[in-house]
Structures are given as C-alpha cells and as structure tokens.
Coordinates of all heavy atoms in Angstrom, one line a residue:
M22 N 18.9 -24.6 46.5 CA 19.8 -23.9 45.6 C 19.6 -22.3 45.8 O 18.3 -21.9 45.9 CB 19.4 -24.2 44.1 CG 20.1 -23.5 43.2 SD 19.8 -24.1 41.5 CE 21.4 -24.6 41.1
P23 N 20.5 -21.6 46.0 CA 20.4 -20.1 46.2 C 20.0 -19.4 45.1 O 20.2 -19.8 43.9 CB 21.8 -19.7 46.7 CG 22.8 -20.7 46.2 CD 22.0 -22.0 46.0
K24 N 19.2 -18.3 45.3 CA 18.8 -17.4 44.2 C 19.9 -16.5 43.8 O 20.7 -16.1 44.6 CB 17.6 -16.7 44.6 CG 16.3 -17.5 44.7 CD 15.1 -16.7 45.0 CE 13.9 -17.5 45.1 NZ 12.8 -16.6 45.4
S25 N 20.0 -16.2 42.5 CA 20.9 -15.2 42.0 C 20.5 -13.8 42.4 O 19.2 -13.5 42.5 CB 21.1 -15.3 40.6 OG 20.0 -15.0 39.8
R26 N 21.3 -12.9 42.6 CA 21.0 -11.4 42.9 C 20.5 -10.8 41.6 O 20.9 -11.0 40.6 CB 22.3 -10.8 43.5 CG 22.8 -11.3 44.6 CD 23.9 -10.4 45.1 NE 24.8 -11.1 46.0 CZ 25.7 -10.5 46.5 NH1 26.3 -9.5 46.1 NH2 26.5 -11.4 47.4
I27 N 19.6 -10.0 41.9 CA 19.0 -9.2 40.8 C 19.7 -7.8 40.9 O 19.7 -7.1 41.9 CB 17.5 -9.0 41.0 CG1 16.8 -10.4 40.9 CG2 16.9 -8.0 40.0 CD1 15.3 -10.2 41.2
R28 N 20.4 -7.5 39.7 CA 21.0 -6.2 39.7 C 20.0 -5.1 39.4 O 19.2 -5.3 38.5 CB 22.1 -6.2 38.6 CG 23.2 -7.3 38.9 CD 24.2 -7.1 37.8 NE 25.1 -8.3 37.9 CZ 26.0 -8.7 37.1 NH1 26.1 -7.9 35.9 NH2 26.7 -9.7 37.2
K29 N 20.1 -4.0 40.0 CA 19.2 -2.9 39.8 C 20.0 -1.9 38.9 O 21.1 -1.5 39.2 CB 18.8 -2.2 41.0 CG 17.9 -1.1 40.8 CD 17.4 -0.5 42.0 CE 16.4 0.6 41.7 NZ 16.0 1.4 42.8
K30 N 19.4 -1.6 37.7 CA 20.1 -0.7 36.9 C 19.8 0.7 37.4 O 18.7 1.1 37.9 CB 19.5 -0.8 35.5 CG 19.8 -2.1 34.8 CD 19.3 -2.2 33.3 CE 19.7 -3.4 32.6 NZ 19.2 -3.5 31.3
A31 N 20.7 1.6 37.0 CA 20.6 3.0 37.4 C 19.5 3.6 36.5 O 19.4 3.3 35.2 CB 21.9 3.7 37.3
D32 N 18.8 4.5 37.0 CA 17.7 5.1 36.2 C 18.5 6.1 35.1 O 19.5 6.7 35.5 CB 16.7 6.0 37.0 CG 16.0 5.1 37.9 OD1 15.6 4.0 37.5 OD2 15.5 5.6 39.0
Y33 N 17.9 6.2 34.1 CA 18.4 7.0 33.0 C 18.3 8.5 33.2 O 17.1 8.9 33.6 CB 17.7 6.6 31.6 CG 18.2 7.6 30.5 CD1 19.5 7.4 29.9 CD2 17.4 8.5 30.0 CE1 20.0 8.2 29.0 CE2 17.8 9.4 29.1 CZ 19.1 9.3 28.5 OH 19.5 10.0 27.5
T34 N 19.3 9.1 33.2 CA 19.3 10.7 33.3 C 19.9 11.1 32.1 O 20.9 10.9 31.7 CB 20.0 11.1 34.6 OG1 21.4 10.6 34.5 CG2 19.5 10.7 35.9
P35 N 19.1 12.1 31.4 CA 19.6 12.7 30.1 C 20.7 13.6 30.5 O 20.9 14.2 31.6 CB 18.4 13.5 29.6 CG 17.5 13.7 30.6 CD 17.7 12.6 31.7
P36 N 21.7 13.7 29.5 CA 22.8 14.7 29.7 C 22.2 16.1 29.9 O 21.1 16.5 29.5 CB 23.5 14.7 28.3 CG 23.0 13.4 27.6 CD 21.7 13.2 28.2
A37 N 23.0 16.9 30.7 CA 22.5 18.2 31.1 C 22.5 19.2 29.9 O 21.6 20.2 29.9 CB 23.5 18.8 32.2
A38 N 23.3 19.1 29.0 CA 23.4 20.1 27.8 C 22.6 19.4 26.6 O 22.9 19.8 25.6 CB 24.7 20.3 27.5
A39 N 21.5 18.7 26.8 CA 20.8 18.2 25.7 C 20.0 19.3 25.0 O 19.4 20.2 25.6 CB 19.8 17.1 26.2
K40 N 20.0 19.3 23.7 CA 19.2 20.2 22.9 C 17.8 19.9 22.9 O 17.5 18.7 22.9 CB 19.8 20.3 21.4 CG 21.0 20.9 21.2 CD 21.5 20.8 19.9 CE 22.9 21.6 19.6 NZ 23.2 21.5 18.2
Q41 N 16.9 20.8 22.8 CA 15.5 20.6 22.5 C 15.3 20.3 21.1 O 15.7 21.2 20.3 CB 14.6 21.7 23.1 CG 14.7 21.9 24.5 CD 14.0 20.9 25.2 OE1 13.1 20.2 24.6 NE2 14.3 20.8 26.5
T42 N 14.6 19.3 20.7 CA 14.3 19.1 19.3 C 13.0 19.5 19.0 O 12.1 19.5 19.7 CB 14.3 17.5 19.1 OG1 13.4 16.9 19.9 CG2 15.7 16.9 19.3
T43 N 12.9 20.1 17.7 CA 11.7 20.6 17.3 C 11.0 19.6 16.4 O 11.6 18.9 15.6 CB 11.9 21.9 16.5 OG1 12.8 21.5 15.3 CG2 12.6 23.0 17.2
A44 N 9.8 19.6 16.5 CA 8.9 18.5 15.8 C 8.9 19.0 14.3 O 8.6 20.2 14.0 CB 7.5 18.4 16.4
L45 N 9.1 18.1 13.4 CA 9.1 18.4 12.0 C 7.6 18.3 11.5 O 7.0 17.2 11.8 CB 9.9 17.3 11.2 CG 11.5 17.4 11.4 CD1 12.2 16.3 10.7 CD2 12.0 18.8 11.0
K46 N 7.1 19.3 10.9 CA 5.9 19.3 10.3 C 5.9 18.8 8.8 O 6.5 19.3 8.0 CB 5.3 20.7 10.3 CG 3.8 20.6 9.8 CD 3.1 22.0 9.9 CE 1.8 21.9 9.3 NZ 1.1 23.3 9.3
L47 N 5.4 17.5 8.6 CA 5.3 16.9 7.3 C 4.3 17.5 6.4 O 3.3 17.9 7.0 CB 5.2 15.4 7.5 CG 6.2 14.7 8.2 CD1 5.8 13.2 8.4 CD2 7.7 14.9 7.5
T48 N 4.6 17.7 5.2 CA 3.7 18.2 4.3 C 2.4 17.3 4.2 O 2.5 16.0 4.2 CB 4.2 18.5 3.0 OG1 4.7 17.1 2.4 CG2 5.4 19.5 3.0
S49 N 1.3 17.9 3.9 CA 0.1 17.1 3.9 C 0.1 16.4 2.5 O 0.4 16.9 1.5 CB -1.1 18.1 3.9 OG -2.3 17.3 3.7
R50 N -0.3 15.1 2.7 CA -0.4 14.2 1.4 C -1.8 13.9 1.1 O -2.1 12.8 0.6 CB 0.4 12.9 1.6 CG 1.9 13.2 1.8 CD 2.6 13.6 0.6 NE 4.0 13.9 0.8 CZ 4.9 13.5 0.0 NH1 4.7 12.8 -1.0 NH2 6.2 13.8 0.5
A51 N -2.7 14.7 1.5 CA -4.2 14.5 1.3 C -4.7 14.3 -0.2 O -5.7 13.7 -0.4 CB -5.1 15.5 2.1
W52 N -3.8 14.9 -1.0 CA -4.2 14.9 -2.4 C -3.9 13.6 -3.1 O -4.4 13.3 -4.2 CB -3.4 16.0 -3.2 CG -1.9 16.0 -3.1 CD1 -1.1 16.4 -2.0 CD2 -1.0 15.2 -4.0 NE1 0.2 16.0 -2.3 CE2 0.2 15.3 -3.4 CE3 -1.3 14.4 -5.1 CZ2 1.4 14.8 -4.1 CZ3 -0.2 13.9 -5.7 CH2 1.1 14.0 -5.1
V53 N -3.2 12.8 -2.4 CA -2.6 11.6 -3.2 C -3.8 10.6 -3.4 O -3.9 10.1 -4.6 CB -1.5 10.9 -2.4 CG1 -1.1 9.7 -3.0 CG2 -0.3 11.8 -2.3
A54 N -4.6 10.3 -2.5 CA -5.6 9.3 -2.7 C -6.7 9.6 -3.6 O -7.0 8.9 -4.5 CB -6.3 8.9 -1.4
P55 N -7.1 10.9 -3.6 CA -8.1 11.4 -4.7 C -7.5 11.2 -6.1 O -8.2 10.9 -7.0 CB -8.6 12.7 -4.3 CG -8.2 12.9 -2.8 CD -7.1 12.0 -2.6
V56 N -6.2 11.8 -6.3 CA -5.7 11.8 -7.6 C -5.5 10.3 -8.1 O -5.7 10.1 -9.3 CB -4.4 12.6 -7.6 CG1 -3.6 12.4 -8.9 CG2 -4.6 14.1 -7.3
M57 N -5.0 9.5 -7.1 CA -4.7 8.1 -7.6 C -6.0 7.4 -7.9 O -5.9 6.7 -9.0 CB -4.0 7.3 -6.4 CG -3.9 5.9 -6.6 SD -3.2 5.1 -5.0 CE -4.7 5.3 -4.0
L58 N -7.0 7.5 -7.3 CA -8.3 6.9 -7.6 C -8.9 7.5 -8.9 O -9.4 6.7 -9.6 CB -9.2 7.1 -6.4 CG -8.9 6.2 -5.2 CD1 -9.9 6.5 -4.1 CD2 -8.8 4.7 -5.4
T59 N -8.7 8.8 -9.0 CA -9.2 9.5 -10.2 C -8.4 8.9 -11.5 O -9.2 8.6 -12.6 CB -9.1 10.9 -10.1 OG1 -9.8 11.3 -9.0 CG2 -9.5 11.5 -11.4
L60 N -7.2 8.7 -11.4 CA -6.5 8.2 -12.5 C -6.8 6.8 -12.9 O -6.9 6.4 -14.0 CB -4.9 8.3 -12.3 CG -4.4 9.8 -12.3 CD1 -2.9 9.7 -11.9 CD2 -4.5 10.3 -13.7
F61 N -7.0 5.9 -11.8 CA -7.5 4.6 -11.9 C -8.7 4.6 -12.8 O -9.0 3.7 -13.6 CB -7.5 3.8 -10.7 CG -6.3 3.5 -9.9 CD1 -6.2 3.2 -8.6 CD2 -5.0 3.4 -10.7 CE1 -5.1 2.9 -8.0 CE2 -3.8 3.0 -10.2 CZ -3.9 2.8 -8.7
L62 N -9.7 5.3 -12.3 CA -11.1 5.3 -12.8 C -11.0 5.8 -14.2 O -11.8 5.3 -15.0 CB -12.1 6.1 -11.9 CG -12.3 5.5 -10.6 CD1 -13.2 6.3 -9.7 CD2 -13.0 4.0 -10.8
I63 N -10.2 6.9 -14.5 CA -10.1 7.4 -15.9 C -9.7 6.3 -16.9 O -10.2 6.1 -17.9 CB -9.4 8.7 -16.0 CG1 -10.1 9.8 -15.3 CG2 -8.9 9.0 -17.4 CD1 -9.3 11.2 -15.1
G64 N -8.6 5.7 -16.4 CA -8.0 4.6 -17.2 C -9.0 3.5 -17.5 O -9.1 2.9 -18.6
L65 N -9.6 3.0 -16.4 CA -10.6 2.0 -16.5 C -11.7 2.4 -17.5 O -12.1 1.6 -18.4 CB -11.2 1.5 -15.2 CG -12.2 0.5 -15.1 CD1 -11.5 -0.9 -15.7 CD2 -12.8 0.3 -13.7
A66 N -12.3 3.6 -17.3 CA -13.3 4.0 -18.1 C -12.9 4.1 -19.6 O -13.8 3.9 -20.4 CB -13.9 5.5 -17.6
W67 N -11.7 4.6 -19.8 CA -11.2 4.8 -21.2 C -11.2 3.5 -21.9 O -11.7 3.3 -23.0 CB -9.7 5.3 -21.0 CG -9.2 5.8 -22.4 CD1 -8.8 5.0 -23.5 CD2 -9.0 7.2 -22.8 NE1 -8.4 5.9 -24.5 CE2 -8.5 7.2 -24.1 CE3 -9.2 8.4 -22.2 CZ2 -8.3 8.3 -24.7 CZ3 -8.9 9.6 -22.9 CH2 -8.4 9.5 -24.2
I68 N -10.8 2.4 -21.3 CA -10.6 1.1 -21.8 C -12.0 0.5 -22.0 O -12.3 -0.1 -23.0 CB -9.8 0.0 -21.0 CG1 -8.3 0.7 -20.9 CG2 -9.9 -1.4 -21.4 CD1 -7.4 -0.1 -20.0
V69 N -12.9 0.7 -21.0 CA -14.3 0.1 -21.1 C -15.0 0.9 -22.2 O -15.7 0.2 -23.0 CB -15.1 0.3 -19.9 CG1 -16.6 0.0 -19.9 CG2 -14.4 -0.6 -18.7
V70 N -14.9 2.2 -22.3 CA -15.5 2.9 -23.3 C -15.1 2.4 -24.7 O -15.9 2.3 -25.7 CB -15.4 4.4 -23.4 CG1 -15.8 5.2 -24.5 CG2 -16.2 4.8 -22.0
F71 N -13.7 2.2 -24.9 CA -13.2 1.7 -26.2 C -13.8 0.5 -26.6 O -14.2 0.3 -27.7 CB -11.7 1.7 -26.0 CG -11.0 1.0 -27.1 CD1 -10.9 1.7 -28.3 CD2 -10.4 -0.3 -27.1 CE1 -10.3 1.2 -29.5 CE2 -9.8 -0.8 -28.3 CZ -9.8 -0.1 -29.4
Y72 N -13.8 -0.5 -25.6 CA -14.4 -1.8 -26.0 C -16.0 -1.8 -26.2 O -16.5 -2.5 -27.2 CB -14.2 -2.9 -24.9 CG -12.8 -3.4 -25.0 CD1 -11.8 -3.3 -24.0 CD2 -12.5 -4.3 -26.1 CE1 -10.5 -3.8 -24.1 CE2 -11.2 -4.8 -26.2 CZ -10.3 -4.7 -25.2 OH -9.0 -5.1 -25.4
V73 N -16.7 -1.1 -25.5 CA -18.1 -1.0 -25.5 C -18.6 -0.4 -26.9 O -19.6 -0.8 -27.6 CB -18.8 -0.2 -24.4 CG1 -20.3 0.0 -24.6 CG2 -18.7 -1.1 -23.1
T74 N -17.8 0.6 -27.4 CA -18.2 1.3 -28.6 C -17.4 0.7 -29.9 O -17.5 1.4 -31.0 CB -17.8 2.8 -28.5 OG1 -16.4 3.0 -28.4 CG2 -18.5 3.5 -27.4
D75 N -16.8 -0.5 -29.7 CA -16.2 -1.2 -30.8 C -15.1 -0.4 -31.5 O -14.9 -0.3 -32.7 CB -17.2 -1.6 -31.9 CG -18.1 -2.8 -31.3 OD1 -17.6 -3.5 -30.5 OD2 -19.3 -2.7 -31.7
G76 N -14.3 0.5 -30.6 CA -13.2 1.2 -31.1 C -13.6 2.7 -31.7 O -12.7 3.3 -32.2
Q77 N -14.9 3.1 -31.7 CA -15.2 4.3 -32.2 C -15.0 5.5 -31.3 O -14.7 6.6 -31.6 CB -16.8 4.4 -32.6 CG -17.1 3.3 -33.5 CD -16.3 3.5 -34.9 OE1 -16.2 4.6 -35.3 NE2 -15.9 2.4 -35.4
L78 N -14.9 5.2 -30.1 CA -14.7 6.3 -29.0 C -13.5 5.7 -28.1 O -13.3 4.6 -28.0 CB -15.9 6.5 -28.0 CG -17.1 7.3 -28.8 CD1 -18.2 7.3 -27.9 CD2 -16.6 8.6 -29.3
P79 N -12.8 6.4 -27.3 CA -12.8 7.8 -27.1 C -12.2 8.7 -28.3 O -12.6 9.7 -28.6 CB -12.0 8.0 -25.8 CG -11.8 6.7 -25.3 CD -12.1 5.6 -26.3
I80 N -11.1 8.0 -28.8 CA -10.4 8.8 -30.0 C -10.3 7.7 -31.1 O -9.4 6.7 -31.1 CB -9.1 9.3 -29.6 CG1 -9.2 10.3 -28.4 CG2 -8.4 10.0 -30.7 CD1 -7.8 10.8 -27.9
D81 N -11.0 7.9 -32.2 CA -11.2 7.0 -33.2 C -9.8 6.8 -34.0 O -9.4 5.6 -34.4 CB -12.2 7.4 -34.2 CG -12.4 6.3 -35.3 OD1 -12.3 5.1 -35.0 OD2 -13.0 6.6 -36.4
D82 N -9.0 7.9 -34.2 CA -7.8 7.8 -34.8 C -6.6 7.0 -34.3 O -5.8 6.5 -34.9 CB -7.2 9.3 -35.1 CG -8.2 10.1 -36.1 OD1 -8.9 9.4 -36.8 OD2 -8.0 11.4 -36.0
L83 N -6.7 6.9 -32.9 CA -5.7 6.0 -32.3 C -5.9 4.5 -32.4 O -5.0 3.8 -32.2 CB -5.7 6.4 -30.7 CG -5.3 7.7 -30.3 CD1 -5.4 7.9 -28.8 CD2 -3.8 8.0 -30.7
G84 N -7.1 4.1 -32.7 CA -7.4 2.8 -32.9 C -7.0 2.0 -31.5 O -7.5 2.4 -30.5
N85 N -6.3 0.8 -31.8 CA -6.0 0.0 -30.5 C -5.1 0.7 -29.5 O -4.8 0.2 -28.4 CB -5.4 -1.4 -31.0 CG -6.5 -2.3 -31.5 OD1 -7.7 -2.1 -31.2 ND2 -6.1 -3.2 -32.4
W86 N -4.5 1.8 -30.0 CA -3.6 2.5 -29.1 C -4.3 3.2 -27.9 O -3.8 3.6 -26.9 CB -2.8 3.6 -29.7 CG -1.7 3.1 -30.5 CD1 -1.6 2.7 -31.8 CD2 -0.4 2.7 -29.9 NE1 -0.4 2.2 -32.1 CE2 0.4 2.1 -31.0 CE3 0.2 2.7 -28.7 CZ2 1.7 1.6 -30.9 CZ3 1.5 2.2 -28.6 CH2 2.2 1.6 -29.6
N87 N -5.8 3.2 -28.1 CA -6.6 3.6 -26.9 C -6.4 2.8 -25.7 O -6.5 3.3 -24.5 CB -8.0 3.7 -27.4 CG -8.4 4.9 -28.1 OD1 -8.2 6.0 -27.8 ND2 -8.9 4.5 -29.3
I88 N -6.1 1.4 -25.9 CA -5.8 0.6 -24.7 C -4.6 1.1 -24.0 O -4.5 1.1 -22.7 CB -5.7 -1.0 -25.2 CG1 -7.1 -1.3 -25.9 CG2 -5.3 -1.8 -24.0 CD1 -7.0 -2.6 -26.5
V89 N -3.5 1.4 -24.7 CA -2.3 1.8 -24.2 C -2.5 3.2 -23.4 O -2.0 3.4 -22.3 CB -1.2 2.0 -25.3 CG1 0.2 2.7 -24.8 CG2 -1.0 0.8 -25.9
V90 N -3.4 4.0 -23.8 CA -3.7 5.4 -23.2 C -4.3 4.9 -21.9 O -4.1 5.6 -20.9 CB -4.5 6.2 -24.1 CG1 -5.1 7.4 -23.3 CG2 -3.8 6.6 -25.3
G91 N -5.4 4.1 -21.9 CA -6.1 3.7 -20.6 C -5.1 3.1 -19.7 O -5.1 3.4 -18.5
F92 N -4.2 2.2 -20.1 CA -3.3 1.6 -19.1 C -2.2 2.6 -18.8 O -1.7 2.6 -17.7 CB -2.6 0.5 -19.8 CG -3.3 -0.9 -19.7 CD1 -3.8 -1.4 -20.8 CD2 -3.6 -1.3 -18.5 CE1 -4.6 -2.7 -20.6 CE2 -4.4 -2.6 -18.3 CZ -4.8 -3.2 -19.4
G93 N -2.0 3.7 -19.5 CA -1.1 4.8 -19.1 C -1.6 5.5 -17.9 O -1.0 5.9 -17.0
F94 N -3.0 5.8 -18.0 CA -3.7 6.4 -16.9 C -3.5 5.6 -15.6 O -3.3 6.1 -14.5 CB -5.1 6.8 -17.2 CG -5.3 8.0 -18.0 CD1 -5.8 8.0 -19.2 CD2 -5.1 9.3 -17.5 CE1 -6.0 9.1 -19.9 CE2 -5.3 10.4 -18.0 CZ -5.7 10.4 -19.4
I95 N -3.7 4.3 -15.8 CA -3.6 3.4 -14.6 C -2.2 3.3 -14.0 O -2.0 3.4 -12.9 CB -4.1 2.0 -15.1 CG1 -5.7 2.1 -15.2 CG2 -3.9 0.9 -14.0 CD1 -6.3 0.8 -15.9
A96 N -1.2 3.3 -14.9 CA 0.2 3.4 -14.6 C 0.5 4.7 -13.8 O 1.3 4.6 -12.9 CB 1.1 3.1 -15.7
A97 N 0.0 5.7 -14.3 CA 0.2 7.1 -13.6 C -0.4 6.9 -12.3 O 0.1 7.6 -11.3 CB -0.5 8.1 -14.5
G98 N -1.6 6.3 -12.0 CA -2.2 6.2 -10.8 C -1.3 5.5 -9.8 O -1.1 5.8 -8.7
F99 N -0.6 4.4 -10.4 CA 0.4 3.6 -9.4 C 1.6 4.4 -9.2 O 2.1 4.4 -8.2 CB 0.8 2.4 -10.2 CG -0.2 1.3 -10.1 CD1 -0.9 0.7 -11.1 CD2 -0.5 0.6 -8.8 CE1 -1.8 -0.3 -10.9 CE2 -1.4 -0.3 -8.7 CZ -2.0 -0.9 -9.8
G100 N 1.9 5.3 -10.2 CA 3.1 6.2 -9.8 C 2.8 7.3 -8.8 O 3.6 7.5 -8.0
V101 N 1.5 7.7 -8.8 CA 1.1 8.7 -7.7 C 0.9 7.8 -6.4 O 1.2 8.6 -5.4 CB -0.2 9.4 -8.1 CG1 -0.9 10.1 -7.0 CG2 -0.1 10.3 -9.2
S102 N 0.6 6.7 -6.4 CA 0.4 5.9 -5.2 C 1.6 5.8 -4.3 O 1.7 5.5 -3.2 CB -0.2 4.5 -5.4 OG 0.8 3.6 -6.1
T103 N 2.9 6.0 -5.0 CA 4.1 5.8 -4.3 C 4.3 7.1 -3.3 O 5.3 7.0 -2.5 CB 5.4 5.7 -5.3 OG1 5.5 6.9 -6.0 CG2 5.2 4.5 -6.1
Q104 N 3.6 8.2 -3.6 CA 3.7 9.3 -2.6 C 2.8 9.2 -1.4 O 2.9 9.9 -0.5 CB 3.3 10.5 -3.4 CG 4.1 10.7 -4.7 CD 5.6 11.0 -4.3 OE1 5.9 11.8 -3.4 NE2 6.5 10.5 -5.0
W105 N 2.0 8.1 -1.3 CA 1.0 7.9 -0.2 C 1.7 7.5 1.0 O 2.7 6.7 0.9 CB 0.0 6.9 -0.5 CG -1.2 6.9 0.3 CD1 -1.5 7.8 1.4 CD2 -2.3 6.1 0.1 NE1 -2.7 7.5 1.8 CE2 -3.2 6.5 1.1 CE3 -2.7 5.0 -0.8 CZ2 -4.4 6.0 1.3 CZ3 -3.9 4.5 -0.6 CH2 -4.8 4.9 0.4
K106 N 1.6 8.2 2.2 CA 2.1 7.8 3.5 C 1.1 7.5 4.4 O 0.2 7.9 4.5 CB 3.0 9.0 3.9 CG 4.3 9.3 3.1 CD 5.1 10.2 3.8 CE 6.4 10.3 3.0 NZ 7.3 11.3 3.6

C-alpha cells in the first residue's frame, strides 16, 4: 500500500506592520492573603472567646449577636479572598 504524502506547512511569518505590545504590569495583591487570614482568625477568636466566657466577652450588650459579629469577620475574609490571584 503506498504511503500518503506529508504536506509541509509554510513557516509562520508575522505581518510586517505588527505593533509592539507592551507588557501590562498588574498591581500587587500581596496584601490579600494576610488580610484574609487576619479576618478569619479575628472571627474565629471572637466566637471562641464568646463561648469560653459564657457570653460575658467580647461585648456583653450584644448577647448572642456576638456570634453574628464573628461570622461577619469570617464572611469578610471570604469576600477579601475573591481578590486573590
């Protein structure tokens, strides 16, 4: 059985009037990870302190709303995490 011919493709040559592209410098997102972890830890610590002190700390007047505040810090940490690249 005869072999089929292999077609050779022409080498790519860029157009003569091609523009030089400049590299985009992305802004640094080094602040995201520390802020995210800090918010997670503050929220966790807030909830743990509330339970360990039987509701006397961190803010006695809030009562069980201290749990919502703790989860608010954790939710803010997740919100910041969307900026991580």
Side-chain angles (χ1 to χ4, degrees):
M22 177 175 242
K24 291 185 178 182
S25 62
R26 293 185 202 174
I27 298 174
R28 297 181 194 172
K29 184 177 180 186
K30 292 183 179 183
D32 292 335
Y33 174 75
T34 54
K40 290 183 178 181
Q41 292 290 339
T42 59
T43 57
L45 295 175
K46 184 178 180 183
L47 299 175
T48 58
S49 176
R50 303 280 177 141
W52 58 272
V53 174
V56 171
M57 175 184 66
L58 292 175
T59 302
L60 288 171
F61 286 157
L62 291 175
I63 289 172
L65 179 65
W67 193 287
I68 294 170
V69 168
V70 167
F71 175 72
Y72 276 116
V73 169
T74 62
D75 291 327
Q77 300 301 318
L78 290 176
I80 301 175
D81 190 28
D82 292 338
L83 289 179
N85 286 336
W86 285 97
N87 279 304
I88 297 171
V89 175
V90 172
F92 278 114
F94 278 111
I95 294 171
F99 279 114
V101 169
S102 72
T103 63
Q104 300 298 316
W105 198 358
K106 289 189 177 184

